[in-house]
Amino acid sequence: MFLSAGTLQESQHLSFSHSSTRQLDARRLEPRQQRNREVKKVGVQYWRRLHQNGIPLLEARQIAAAIAKFDVAKRPPTGEQAALIIRYSPLICRAQLWRRDLLPTSSLGQHR
């Protein structure tokens, strides 16, 4: 197959653009990947503390994920997570994982 000079230049330009786009995407994902790793690391520590303080394994995992995401990524808990947090709030406090702003005050009134 024969390529003209123009086609060869276009082909080189496209491959360069594709690789540089990939590098930009990788740089953009890097902070997110680091944050996700941190959430997992922190979440495992929280899960152990919650379970040691009496929260069942499954619920402890969900609550730990919510609190870790709140601490690391500043993401509020989902409605289901908020309900679990309210239900187990005394044990979360005992594990020293309660956060003052973890739940909006409006969600506290809904679950009482």
Side-chain angles (χ1 to χ4, degrees), residues 50-61 63 88 91-92:
L50 291 167
H51 185 62
Q52 288 170 350
N53 282 282
I55 298 177
L57 283 172
L58 224 98
E59 287 88 345
R61 183 177 181 270
I63 294 167
Y88 291 104
L91 299 175
I92 295 169

Side-chain angles (χ1 to χ4, degrees), residues 17 44 112:
S17 295
V44 169
R112 287 187 176 168

Side-chain angles (χ1 to χ4, degrees), residues 21-94:
T21 302
R22 225 179 310 151
Q23 290 170 348
L24 288 174
D25 288 344
R27 280 189 226 130
R28 208 173 324 143
L29 288 176
E30 205 170 280
R32 181 188 291 172
Q33 289 171 338
Q34 288 174 349
R35 190 173 54 237
N36 288 345
R37 277 189 228 117
E38 185 66 19
V39 166
K40 284 182 183 182
K41 186 174 100 175
V42 170
V44 169
Q45 295 169 356
Y46 290 0
W47 170 76
R48 286 184 185 134
R49 286 169 61 181
L50 291 167
H51 185 62
Q52 288 170 350
N53 282 282
I55 298 177
L57 283 172
L58 224 98
E59 287 88 345
R61 183 177 181 270
Q62 291 175 312
I63 294 167
I67 297 172
K69 288 175 185 174
F70 180 80
D71 285 352
V72 175
K74 307 297 182 232
R75 286 194 358 213
T78 65
E80 182 181 339
Q81 290 169 331
L84 285 172
I85 290 168
I86 291 166
R87 179 177 173 192
Y88 291 104
S89 58
L91 299 175
I92 295 169
C93 288
R94 186 187 305 162

